[in-house]
Amino acid sequence: MTKFIELNTIGVSKDSQLRAAKVLRAVSDSCEQENSQEGDSFFKFSHKIMTNRWKQLREVVQHSELFSMPQFSPAFCNFFNQVLEPQPAFVWLKCEGNVEDCESFLRVHNIITRSGKHFG
């Protein structure tokens, strides 16, 4: 691990390395103090945020006739030790109906996207 860090930090400023170490320490500390009154760990907090965002997105898509998205089955998460619905940091949307170019349509509404052509 030491050799890996040595090779991969060549050219990275000391300040950046110290900031990254501080962030990693904060994440690590949040996991160790999970049962304290400080609140949730970084990962539980992040999971709650993503759960809420995905719930809102699924509701919007479900009530919209403009978009559809694939349904993924829940799966067991080794980190949380329970079955969870997938909640990635991206979504595959398909424009339905009269929309010819979904990427342009969404960009007009200030939603940054990448067209499916970039992904084959």
Side-chain angles (χ1 to χ4, degrees):
M1 186 62 159
T2 303
K3 189 65 174 172
F4 174 81
I5 291 172
E6 179 184 322
L7 292 174
N8 285 293
T9 56
I10 295 172
V12 178
S13 71
K14 187 73 168 177
D15 183 53
S16 295
Q17 292 178 41
L18 292 173
R19 287 176 190 233
K22 193 170 187 174
V23 168
L24 291 173
R25 181 173 291 123
V27 170
S28 176
D29 289 348
S30 77
C31 293
E32 290 174 2
Q33 300 169 357
E34 184 175 350
N35 295 326
S36 71
Q37 295 177 350
E38 297 288 321
D40 290 334
S41 74
F42 170 80
F43 296 105
K44 286 190 177 179
F45 173 78
S46 300
H47 182 260
K48 284 181 185 178
I49 296 291
M50 291 302 286
T51 299
N52 186 42
R53 289 179 180 176
W54 271 94
K55 179 181 175 191
Q56 291 174 352
L57 179 63
R58 285 185 180 109
E59 287 175 7
V60 167
V61 170
Q62 184 179 8
H63 295 307
S64 169
E65 294 180 9
L66 287 177
F67 305 106
S68 65
M69 60 187 214
Q71 297 294 320
F72 297 105
S73 301
F76 185 78
C77 173
N78 291 325
F79 184 80
F80 287 112
N81 271 338
Q82 59 185 0
V83 175
L84 299 172
E85 264 189 82
Q87 300 168 0
F90 60 88
V91 63
W92 289 97
L93 277 179
K94 179 179 180 185
C95 287
E96 306 288 349
N98 297 336
V99 179
E100 290 291 322
D101 183 3
C102 196
E103 181 180 16
S104 298
F105 176 79
L106 291 170
R107 282 189 189 267
V108 167
H109 294 87
N110 296 321
I111 300 172
I112 299 170
T113 65
R114 291 194 69 195
S115 170
K117 66 184 174 191
H118 297 287
F119 305 99

